[in-house]
Amino acid sequence: DGQTGASLSLYDSSGLIEVGGRSGTGDSFQSTTATLSNPTGQWHHVAGVLDIPNDNIKIYIDGSLAVSTGVTFANSTYTPGTPSGDEDTLGSNAVPAAQSFNGLMDEPIVYKTGLSANQIQSDYNSRRISNTASNLVGLWHFDEGAGTSAFDSSGSDNHGTLTNMVPADNWVNSLSDRDQSALSQQVL
C-alpha cells in the first residue's frame, strides 16, 4: 500500500496513547497502547520507540517504561516507502476520520533511530532539547509565540505550517517549566 513510518497518537481526555508503525511498504501496521493515569491538568513526557530489529514497540511516560510489546515486523530493518504526497502531521491524523489532539504540545522531536531507556530519561530530564542531539529528523521548540509557522530546529528544514488555529488563541505560555511558549489544541 506504499505506507511506511511511525506514529504516536494521543486520544481524547481518556489518556490513551498508541505507538505504532511499519518496517516497510506492504508491512501490516503494528502497534501497542498505554494509558496516562492522570491525562489532564499537568504536563507529561511521552516517547514511543519502534525497535524493528527486535520486533518490539515501547512507550515511555515521564521517562519510565510504561509498556513493551512484542510484535512481528515483516523486515528486520526500516525501509522507507515512496512518499504519498500526504503531509506529515503533529497533533492530527487524517485516518481514521481526522482525529485531532486536544491539549497543549511542546518540544515534539523525531529521531532517525530508536532511543535507549537512558536516552529517553535524559530527554525527559532536559529543560530544553539541544539541536545538536544525534540523529535528529525534526525538533520543534514551539517558541515562535506568534504566527502560523513552526520552525524545525534540527537542521533538517522540516518546517511546519500551523493550520486550523487563530494564533492569538493558540500560542500560550508553556506550563511545563521547560520552555517559554507552547502550542494549544488541534493546530498542526
Side-chain angles (χ1 to χ4, degrees):
D1 62 9
Q3 295 181 344
T4 63
S7 71
L8 185 151
S9 301
L10 302 169
Y11 296 107
D12 63 48
S13 62
S14 70
L16 181 66
I17 301 164
E18 179 183 40
V19 173
R22 305 164 192 258
S23 60
T25 303
D27 192 2
S28 60
F29 185 78
Q30 304 292 322
S31 68
T32 192
T33 60
T35 303
L36 289 169
S37 60
N38 183 6
T40 60
Q42 63 184 355
W43 283 91
H44 293 283
H45 178 272
V46 177
V49 176
L50 295 181
D51 184 356
I52 291 172
N54 295 307
D55 287 330
N56 195 273
I57 301 174
K58 298 175 184 169
I59 298 175
Y60 293 81
I61 299 173
D62 297 332
S64 297
L65 182 65
V67 67
S68 178
T69 302
V71 296
T72 303
F73 290 108
N75 306 297
S76 61
T77 59
Y78 174 72
T79 305
T82 303
S84 65
D86 292 335
E87 298 289 331
D88 291 328
T89 61
L90 296 171
S92 71
N93 183 2
V95 179
Q99 298 171 337
S100 294
F101 173 69
N102 185 12
L104 299 174
M105 185 184 303
D106 203 9
E107 300 266 336
I109 306 165
V110 177
Y111 291 94
K112 287 181 190 175
T113 59
L115 300 183
S116 70
N118 287 339
Q119 290 168 313
I120 289 171
Q121 185 69 46
S122 177
D123 276 6
Y124 171 67
N125 290 325
S126 294
R127 179 164 173 79
R128 182 176 171 100
I129 303 301
S130 169
N131 65 350
T132 61
S134 300
N135 296 309
L136 284 177
V137 173
L139 169 59
W140 301 269
H141 291 297
F142 289 158
D143 57 5
E144 292 83 357
T148 58
S149 295
F151 295 101
D152 176 13
S153 298
S154 74
S156 300
D157 292 328
N158 289 314
H159 308 300
T161 301
L162 308 173
T163 58
N164 299 325
M165 68 176 275
V166 177
D169 295 338
N170 289 105
W171 290 104
V172 298
N173 289 330
S174 176
L175 304 174
S176 71
D177 192 33
R178 297 187 184 279
D179 209 344
Q180 296 299 311
S181 63
L183 204 53
S184 73
Q185 67 189 22
Q186 303 182 24
V187 292
L188 288 176

